[in-house]
Amino acid sequence: MNDRITLQQIGEMAGVSSATVSRVLNNHPHVSGEVRGRVQEVMDRTGYRPNPAARTLAGQKSNILSLVIPETAQILFTDPYFAHLAQGMAQACQVHDYALSLFIFHAAEDEAKIAQTLLSRQIFDGAILTATQIGDPLVSQLADNGVPFVLVGQHEDARVSFVDADNVAGAYTAVSHLIHLGYERIGAIIGPQSNLAALHRYEGYTKALRDWGRPLDERLVAQGEFLETGGYAAMRRLLAQRPQAIFAASDAMAIGALRAVQDAGLAVPDDVALIGYDDLPHARMVKPQLTTVRQPIRAAGIRAVETLMDILRSGLHPARRIVLPTELVVRDTCGARRLMGGGISN
Amino acid sequence: MNDRITLQQIGEMAGVSSATVSRVLNNHPHVSGEVRGRVQEVMDRTGYRPNPAARTLAGQKSNILSLVIPETAQILFTDPYFAHLAQGMAQACQVHDYALSLFIFHAAEDEAKIAQTLLSRQIFDGAILTATQIGDPLVSQLADNGVPFVLVGQHEDARVSFVDADNVAGAYTAVSHLIHLGYERIGAIIGPQSNLAALHRYEGYTKALRDWGRPLDERLVAQGEFLETGGYAAMRRLLAQRPQAIFAASDAMAIGALRAVQDAGLAVPDDVALIGYDDLPHARMVKPQLTTVRQPIRAAGIRAVETLMDILRSGLHPARRIVLPTELVVRDTCGARRLMGGGISN
DNA sequence: ATGAAAGCGCTAACAT
DNA sequence: ATGTTAGCGCTTTCAT
């Protein structure tokens, strides 16, 4: 970039050494008010901007933190997950005087190269990873390389700190809700089980059935991609089994399922009740409005940054694992309002 | 970060100077195959990773490019604009061996500080700005500071290069379409006119009316926020004027308008035809499906990066201004299919 | 309270 | 083809 003027020059102009200028730049004590003012004045007048690369090299610290995400169309397009996460992170970074860097990698790339590229190209003190797959090699590669990082999502490796929403509990609550509403044949549309969140949501589903003494009927479970089309196809298959209610592992899938039900000439929630997951903006825009599970993604971003800051500050201390609570958002597709003589608007 | 081993050390281990190691690292010619192999072997074996800050400082080039966006809930949440843009940029960066950095700033901050923070914290060779407001001081500040950057969107400053979608033409085409369909009283729901895109879309609307000899009736024009609620409120006001068709400056607004029409007991497109703008995923999920204008956002991201690369390579040459064509996506809300005896699915 | 000086890890002339 | 040598612009001891 176009940095011209240096610390040296500021020093010369102010009649002090560069060390002193560095001190005022970094708000060190032991600088007389008189000198501090003079130096500050020169910096302001000249529009001096320190060279961040030089600071990083000399100080061994960049004050930059990297958000690492795979370029999966799903995450980036389908839902505002990433946007919320980035916002939370940006907010927390602000507080800690950190800048945020983005590293989007193409999952198609040679997996061994990704960590390499990240480490030799990007400048950062620590990273936050998200949307990783189960057993993603990137995670262990970074851990092996001693890179400080936090995962948003979960990982079995005991070395890794993570922040995650409680997917098991979220699904559990949703399915319990359906059970309490009196539905008997409760099915599920589940996501790819290579995804840990998908796995956990399925776990919540089976756990709720078990706890409330309902049988798990595999014929009422259909798997699909985390997309509307996946939900549509899964629902078409399930319809033959005459389910009374469906728990879908994402709102996108739930909306697809909704459409499939309606296309079959049936009504939601009267013929089939439905609960989704994510609380996308979308969820309240379909008719009937989607009952769903809301995750604190923004908060997850904040907590991830806080955790990373602690790691950077205090070194390797035992990994921290944060699991954030979710919230059931009751709208129209689960039938609760109808049953309660509803009409209450959200 | 945790970089331990240095170029020097690699050199010692391979029995060559650090300069030679640097040459093989950067694929310079004039290194014998024998030495190159030996050095490469040591780098691989030790898992050597160059220190990017040192490279940046010494080479005066970071190979990092910064995407600068205001933290406006609108952009980040409402639509996938940012995600598409980032994807396009990431793809182009990949090609040019650049990494991508994100700088989210809070519009609430002291405006004078933003450029300062960006320049002293982030490491980058050039920047891409988007979602700037008309007369945004950040733009001129960067230009004044000699920072190489490209705007996605437009700007009057002759120094700035930009890539934009042709908002005037997009709106013009949409409104012309409504005119050709035979509608007479064609209204518009327009966005905040501090936003250049909103301004251009309004311009396209008035231009189409003028070109086809229709009067501009101000009572048929309502302004609102670029959100569903803004569209809803605007449509409620317009309904009193009995418009036959409405051009809405965004899909979010169009969907709000759709809802307002339906809530008034009227039908789209039979009572009021509707065209939106953006082609959000949403547009095809409402019923009836939204006719809208699609913008090549991903392509804009790519072109912006290409332009920035040219600026970095060849210096200041006259600013480049790229205006990308848009595309009318005809679905159900404009009534074209109905008029043509439709039923064709998109 | 301030200055001098030694790096931080790399690149890029300039030699040879 | 390879080595030597200055820096790049800053931070940080260590003196004073």
Side-chain angles (χ1 to χ4, degrees):
Chain A
M1 257 204 325
N2 219 352
D3 296 356
R4 262 166 326 267
I5 176 164
T6 71
L7 250 200
Q8 281 281 9
Q9 301 177 37
I10 296 289
E12 289 164 16
M13 297 172 79
V16 296
S17 76
S18 65
T20 299
V21 180
S22 175
R23 290 188 185 103
V24 350
L25 185 63
N26 296 292
N27 283 313
H28 283 206
H30 306 307
V31 180
S32 73
E34 194 264 320
V35 169
R36 186 182 295 279
R38 185 149 40 94
V39 170
Q40 190 65 57
E41 188 272 324
V42 176
M43 296 206 294
D44 291 347
R45 182 160 50 73
T46 55
Y48 168 72
R49 291 163 289 122
N51 179 323
R55 301 183 95 172
T56 300
L57 181 57
Q60 304 288 59
K61 180 165 187 295
S62 65
N63 273 42
I64 295 174
L65 173 165
S66 181
L67 171 57
V68 178
I69 48 175
E71 191 220 12
T72 316
Q74 188 177 309
I75 289 289
L76 242 42
F77 290 111
T78 303
D79 69 56
Y81 173 91
F82 168 73
H84 281 88
L85 186 68
Q87 284 225 334
M89 288 179 56
Q91 182 185 325
C93 281
Q94 183 101 335
V95 171
H96 294 276
D97 193 30
Y98 259 72
L100 191 54
S101 187
L102 224 205
F103 186 76
I104 299 178
F105 67 87
H106 301 249
E109 271 176 80
D110 182 4
E111 283 184 329
K113 290 275 177 194
I114 294 171
Q116 182 70 25
T117 307
L118 172 61
L119 291 169
S120 59
R121 281 288 170 225
Q122 289 275 25
I123 296 175
F124 61 97
D125 296 334
I128 291 181
L129 310 201
T130 191
T132 54
Q133 295 291 305
I134 291 176
D136 200 317
L138 182 59
V139 176
S140 35
Q141 280 171 33
L142 292 184
D144 291 345
N145 274 296
V147 177
F149 73 98
V150 173
L151 208 64
V152 177
Q154 298 198 10
H155 201 266
E156 54 288 350
D157 192 324
R159 292 172 300 179
V160 341
S161 291
F162 65 72
V163 180
D164 197 19
D166 196 338
N167 286 296
V168 177
Y172 184 91
T173 305
V175 175
S176 298
H177 181 68
L178 291 173
I179 290 172
H180 294 150
L181 255 21
Y183 299 108
E184 287 294 335
R185 299 176 56 72
I186 301 175
I189 296 177
I190 65 177
Q193 301 292 296
S194 60
N195 178 305
L196 200 54
L199 199 62
H200 283 160
R201 289 174 197 176
Y202 182 40
E203 202 175 312
Y205 165 77
T206 57
K207 187 161 182 295
L209 291 182
R210 201 180 326 118
D211 283 5
W212 300 103
R214 307 304 157 96
L216 169 60
D217 183 347
E218 302 265 355
R219 290 166 306 180
L220 286 174
V221 177
Q223 183 175 334
E225 286 299 307
F226 261 136
L227 296 169
E228 199 193 335
T229 50
Y232 190 94
M235 192 68 208
R236 284 191 63 90
R237 278 178 271 139
L238 290 177
L239 240 21
Q241 306 292 331
R242 299 271 152 219
Q244 292 171 353
I246 294 289
F247 165 66
S250 84
D251 281 353
M253 289 174 128
I255 288 167
L258 174 61
R259 212 133 275 163
V261 173
Q262 291 170 339
D263 285 356
L266 300 173
V268 172
D270 296 315
D271 297 310
V272 184
L274 206 53
I275 296 188
Y277 208 107
D278 287 339
D279 194 26
L280 300 191
H282 234 94
R284 59 191 331 150
M285 310 193 67
V286 290
K287 288 203 165 169
Q289 293 187 6
L290 206 58
T291 292
T292 186
V293 179
R294 181 184 297 157
Q295 315 185 68
I297 305 175
R298 216 191 141 94
I302 295 175
R303 300 296 294 276
V305 171
E306 302 288 353
T307 301
L308 189 52
M309 291 299 145
D310 288 345
I311 292 176
L312 292 175
R313 207 174 298 126
S314 62
L316 5 150
H317 70 70
R320 179 142 90 210
R321 297 164 162 233
I322 299 176
V323 177
L324 264 20
T326 60
E327 178 190 355
L328 182 67
V329 181
V330 177
R331 296 204 184 94
D332 300 324
T333 56
C334 61
R337 288 180 181 173
R338 178 204 51 186
L339 295 175
M340 304 181 335
I344 305 138
S345 187
N346 185 344
Chain B
M1 259 206 325
N2 219 350
D3 296 355
R4 262 167 325 267
I5 176 164
T6 71
L7 249 200
Q8 281 281 8
Q9 301 177 38
I10 297 288
E12 289 164 14
M13 297 172 76
V16 296
S17 76
S18 66
T20 299
V21 180
S22 175
R23 289 187 186 104
V24 350
L25 185 64
N26 296 292
N27 283 314
H28 283 206
H30 307 306
V31 180
S32 73
E34 194 264 321
V35 169
R36 186 182 294 277
R38 185 149 40 94
V39 170
Q40 190 65 58
E41 189 273 325
V42 176
M43 296 206 293
D44 291 346
R45 182 160 50 74
T46 55
Y48 168 73
R49 291 164 289 122
N51 179 321
R55 301 182 95 173
T56 300
L57 181 57
Q60 302 290 59
K61 180 165 187 298
S62 65
N63 273 43
I64 295 174
L65 173 165
S66 181
L67 171 56
V68 179
I69 48 175
E71 192 220 12
T72 316
Q74 188 176 309
I75 289 290
L76 240 42
F77 290 112
T78 303
D79 69 56
Y81 174 91
F82 168 73
H84 281 87
L85 186 67
Q87 284 226 334
M89 288 179 57
Q91 181 184 325
C93 281
Q94 182 100 334
V95 172
H96 294 277
D97 193 29
Y98 259 72
L100 191 55
S101 188
L102 225 205
F103 185 77
I104 300 178
F105 67 87
H106 300 250
E109 271 176 80
D110 183 3
E111 282 184 331
K113 290 274 178 195
I114 293 171
Q116 182 71 23
T117 307
L118 172 61
L119 290 169
S120 58
R121 281 287 170 226
Q122 289 275 25
I123 296 175
F124 62 97
D125 296 334
I128 292 181
L129 309 201
T130 192
T132 53
Q133 295 291 306
I134 291 176
D136 199 318
L138 181 59
V139 176
S140 35
Q141 280 172 33
L142 292 184
D144 291 345
N145 274 295
V147 177
F149 73 98
V150 173
L151 208 64
V152 177
Q154 298 199 12
H155 201 266
E156 55 286 352
D157 192 323
R159 293 172 299 179
V160 342
S161 290
F162 65 73
V163 180
D164 196 20
D166 195 337
N167 286 296
V168 177
Y172 184 91
T173 305
V175 176
S176 299
H177 180 69
L178 291 172
I179 290 172
H180 294 150
L181 254 21
Y183 300 108
E184 287 294 335
R185 298 176 57 72
I186 300 175
I189 297 177
I190 64 178
Q193 300 293 296
S194 60
N195 177 307
L196 200 55
L199 199 62
H200 283 160
R201 289 174 197 176
Y202 182 40
E203 202 176 310
Y205 165 77
T206 57
K207 187 161 182 294
L209 292 182
R210 200 179 328 116
D211 283 6
W212 300 103
R214 307 303 157 96
L216 169 60
D217 183 347
E218 302 264 355
R219 289 167 306 179
L220 287 175
V221 178
Q223 183 174 335
E225 286 300 307
F226 261 137
L227 297 169
E228 200 193 333
T229 50
Y232 190 94
M235 191 69 209
R236 284 190 64 91
R237 278 178 272 140
L238 290 178
L239 241 21
Q241 305 292 331
R242 299 272 151 217
Q244 292 172 357
I246 294 290
F247 165 67
S250 84
D251 281 353
M253 289 173 128
I255 288 168
L258 174 61
R259 210 133 276 161
V261 172
Q262 290 171 340
D263 285 356
L266 300 174
V268 172
D270 297 314
D271 297 309
V272 185
L274 206 54
I275 296 188
Y277 208 107
D278 288 338
D279 195 25
L280 300 191
H282 235 94
R284 60 191 329 149
M285 310 194 66
V286 291
K287 288 201 166 173
Q289 294 187 7
L290 206 58
T291 292
T292 186
V293 180
R294 181 183 298 157
Q295 315 185 67
I297 304 175
R298 215 191 142 94
I302 295 174
R303 300 295 294 274
V305 172
E306 302 289 351
T307 301
L308 188 51
M309 291 299 144
D310 288 345
I311 293 176
L312 292 175
R313 206 174 298 126
S314 62
L316 5 149
H317 68 69
R320 180 142 89 210
R321 298 165 161 232
I322 299 176
V323 177
L324 264 19
T326 60
E327 177 190 355
L328 182 67
V329 181
V330 178
R331 295 203 183 95
D332 300 324
T333 56
C334 60
R337 288 180 181 173
R338 179 203 50 186
L339 296 175
M340 306 183 332
I344 305 137
S345 187
N346 185 344

